[in-house]
Amino acid sequence: MDGGSEDVLDLVGPRLRALRHERGFTLADLAAETGVSQSTLSRLESGRRRATLELLLPLARTYNVPLDDLVGAPRTGDPRIHLKPLRRFGMVFVPLSRRPGGTQAFKMIIPARPEPLVPDPQTHEGFEWLYVLNGRLRLLLGERDLTLSPGEAAEFDTSLPHWLGSADGGAVELLILFGPQGTRAHLRTPPGRSPRGGGHDEPVGRD
């Protein structure tokens, strides 16, 4: 193997560790998802175990990233946009829009955790629309304590104290649109559908 390939493989471990931390996984979580033992994953991240295709494929599937991202291969001629996740407040944000100003779109991932976070409602200027993809979301909005299931949406003025978390300790995935004050998104529901979405209180924005 030439020196260049050796250098690439030497960087795989730190890249895997950084990606695991960004996604909020423990070694135990990752072992359960991939079927690779914790000891092997630890040695892979520390560089004491060489990366192989057999080890990298399940990791790429779990992280939902191209195999090239794990090994740092160049993307010559690749027209796809590769957006890097950001970790904030114990959650992962994947930016889906890139233009400055106006409405911004994100995929947000709230990792599973054994102990629930203590709510810390915040306020700021703007308007937010969210849609739950997976898991059960807890939304504190002013004095309201709401639970949203997959397929449910909410929109609200972010000048109201608000907080997002997991309703049951499991992971939650959602889409978020955030816009300047006065910018709202609208979701139309089919005729006859209950606005309470299967028994949950309906989160509503300011009219």
Side-chain angles (χ1 to χ4, degrees), residues 130 132 135-139 146-150 152-154 200-201 203:
L130 59 85
V132 181
R136 299 176 71 241
L137 176 72
R138 183 183 180 191
L139 169 63
L146 308 161
T147 298
L148 281 73
S149 297
E152 293 190 298
H200 299 302
D201 289 338

Side-chain angles (χ1 to χ4, degrees), residues 110 116-119 130 132 135-141 144-149 162-168 172:
I110 303 174
L117 291 173
V118 177
L130 59 85
V132 181
R136 299 176 71 241
L137 176 72
R138 183 183 180 191
L139 169 63
L140 299 185
L141 184 61
R144 307 179 72 182
D145 191 341
L146 308 161
T147 298
L148 281 73
S149 297
H162 60 282
W163 177 86
L164 306 177
S166 173
D168 55 14
V172 185

